[in-house]
Amino acid sequence: MKLKFNQLVGALALSIFFFSCENSEPEQPLGAYEQGILIMNEGNFGTNDGEVYHLDPSTLTLKPNVFETENLRPFAGLLEDMVTVNGTLYLVANTGKVEIVDAGTFKSLGAVSGGLDQPRSLEVVGSKLFISDYGPYDASYNTPDSYVAVVDGLNGGMVTKKIEVSNKPEDLIAFGKYIFVAGSEEGKVEIIDADKEEVIKVLEVDGRPAQFFEIDGKVWLYSTGNDEVYFQSFHMDLTKATTNSLPVANATGRIAFGNDNLYYLITSTGWPEYQDGVSRVSVLGSELDLDWITGSGFYGIGYDKARNELYLANSNGFQGNGTVTVYDADGTEKRDFEVGRGPSGFLFY
């Protein structure tokens, strides 16, 4: 089971249910960091001070710098993604490494520290890690040599193969032995056979692919355009199924998955206005609230399904630490608190 950012609630409960049905042995107690909320702070370019904070939402106790506290060394990278798979947490840094920790204790289990350039996300199939990577910049700051790196070992090691894909691959999702790759720059979804370690199919999709998710066991893709967003689904035979487009302009690619098939999208006009917002939409229904929340500096988003609360991160222009504001299901502000530099994502247990 792979979970990233706000996808953790519900799936964790489901995994515990199936485990209890199949195994009569007593369940292992959850670790200190497998309860509550993990907050991913990207860090500042140049200082590479990315870190993870832990929040206990029942007591509002916030623990900063979890990686450094538990491993007695700084993370020393720019955090791009957090992916948890079967009790292991993968911290993907777009500064060329992946740190691997025990999800309960945050103690280091290993790393991928060689052969990567600008990793973006990660997926696990069997005993292999598949890591999307922009590849190196050329003289014009393009990324013509993007790839998905293969590492044979769940606790890291060296890159054993680089599978060429379209420019700027982002999110990954596994479907059986197949891995879907979101090619953000060229509007493609490439499908990798994990056994063969090669691309077996390329699908043209609408918009700029950003993130995969699931509805009722079917793979969906969230993509952004200039004046709309796209939600596209795929058949089990690895073909494109449906496309729903919604008139949401200036979407950034940041998305949170709420209850009742509601989705929360960060929008931003960018320079010079810097007018940001959160749109609330439904893929399967008629919900469309383009200005559900308005403001500036919005950088990360997540939804706590158990408590029905939206977490909205503000980078504060990377001038010092960021903040997180919590809203109820009606969009009413409940509280805010300071976190690390560039908060950009959440994992909810």
Side-chain angles (χ1 to χ4, degrees):
M1 173 176 39
K2 173 201 177 188
L3 301 159
K4 59 187 293 181
F5 290 145
N6 49 73
Q7 299 171 350
L8 194 56
V9 169
L12 179 65
L14 186 62
S15 68
I16 293 172
F17 171 77
F18 282 121
F19 178 83
S20 64
C21 291
E22 297 174 0
N23 193 327
S24 60
E25 295 180 4
E27 297 177 9
Q28 295 296 318
L30 294 174
Y33 299 110
E34 291 176 297
Q35 306 171 71
I37 302 169
L38 295 180
I39 302 168
M40 183 175 77
N41 302 285
E42 181 180 305
N44 193 44
F45 182 78
T47 54
N48 295 349
D49 53 352
E51 250 295 357
V52 179
Y53 282 28
H54 177 267
L55 174 68
D56 182 339
S58 61
T59 64
L60 301 184
T61 300
L62 185 67
K63 295 181 180 179
N65 305 327
V66 172
F67 183 90
E68 182 171 7
T69 298
E70 299 299 340
N71 295 286
L72 303 180
R73 59 183 174 90
F75 179 77
L78 295 177
L79 259 172
E80 183 62 35
D81 202 359
M82 299 188 297
V83 179
T84 181
V85 184
N86 297 332
T88 300
L89 183 64
Y90 297 88
L91 304 174
V92 181
N94 64 18
T95 39
K97 68 173 181 175
V98 176
E99 292 278 2
I100 305 168
V101 301
D102 181 277
T105 65
F106 244 79
K107 300 296 185 183
S108 177
L109 299 174
V112 180
S113 55
L116 298 175
D117 292 284
Q118 301 180 76
R120 307 293 292 179
S121 190
L122 178 148
E123 183 59 278
V124 174
V125 177
S127 62
K128 300 176 184 177
L129 309 179
F130 293 83
I131 306 165
S132 57
D133 197 304
Y134 279 7
Y137 286 122
D138 64 13
S140 300
Y141 291 97
N142 297 315
T143 56
D145 299 316
S146 296
Y147 57 87
V148 171
V150 183
V151 176
D152 192 4
L154 299 182
N155 290 337
M158 299 301 296
V159 172
T160 57
K161 186 174 182 177
K162 294 182 178 180
I163 304 169
E164 183 179 348
V165 294
S166 60
N167 290 349
K168 293 184 171 57
E170 292 288 352
D171 197 28
L172 308 171
I173 194 170
F175 186 75
K177 71 169 185 174
Y178 301 108
I179 302 163
F180 288 65
V181 184
S184 67
E185 191 166 86
E186 298 179 47
K188 295 178 180 179
V189 167
E190 286 138 313
I191 301 174
I192 293 173
D193 184 311
D195 294 335
K196 297 179 180 180
E197 298 180 3
E198 62 184 39
V199 175
I200 62 166
K201 197 164 192 176
V202 179
L203 302 175
E204 301 289 336
V205 296
D206 294 298
R208 296 178 291 274
Q211 189 165 337
F212 292 105
F213 59 101
E214 293 185 31
I215 298 178
D216 297 330
K218 181 179 288 186
V219 174
W220 286 74
L221 172 69
Y222 169 57
S223 299
T224 64
N226 293 330
D227 298 308
E228 59 274 309
V229 297
Y230 304 94
F231 293 93
Q232 301 164 84
S233 67
F234 301 88
H235 290 299
M236 294 181 66
D237 63 358
L238 310 182
T239 59
K240 188 176 171 182
T242 62
T243 299
N244 298 336
S245 63
L246 296 173
V248 181
N250 303 312
T252 66
R254 306 278 189 180
I255 183 171
F257 307 102
N259 291 315
D260 302 320
N261 285 322
L262 291 176
Y263 299 81
Y264 301 83
L265 320 176
I266 291 183
T267 63
S268 179
T269 60
W271 187 87
E273 295 91 353
Y274 287 113
Q275 295 176 355
D276 297 346
V278 174
S279 296
R280 184 170 71 175
V281 305
S282 174
V283 179
L284 305 177
S286 59
E287 175 76 30
L288 185 62
D289 190 339
L290 299 180
D291 298 310
W292 194 65
I293 296 173
T294 58
S296 62
F298 299 164
Y299 199 63
I301 194 167
Y303 201 91
D304 186 342
K305 292 186 177 181
R307 300 170 184 85
N308 223 22
E309 294 177 334
L310 181 83
Y311 281 65
L312 185 59
N314 196 308
S315 69
N316 294 328
F318 284 85
Q319 302 301 307
N321 288 338
T323 55
V324 171
T325 304
V326 182
Y327 298 84
D328 66 16
D330 296 323
T332 301
E333 183 176 332
K334 297 181 68 175
R335 59 186 178 276
D336 59 35
F337 53 95
E338 183 177 301
V339 289
R341 188 74 66 89
S344 58
F346 306 87
L347 277 177
F348 298 91
Y349 285 92

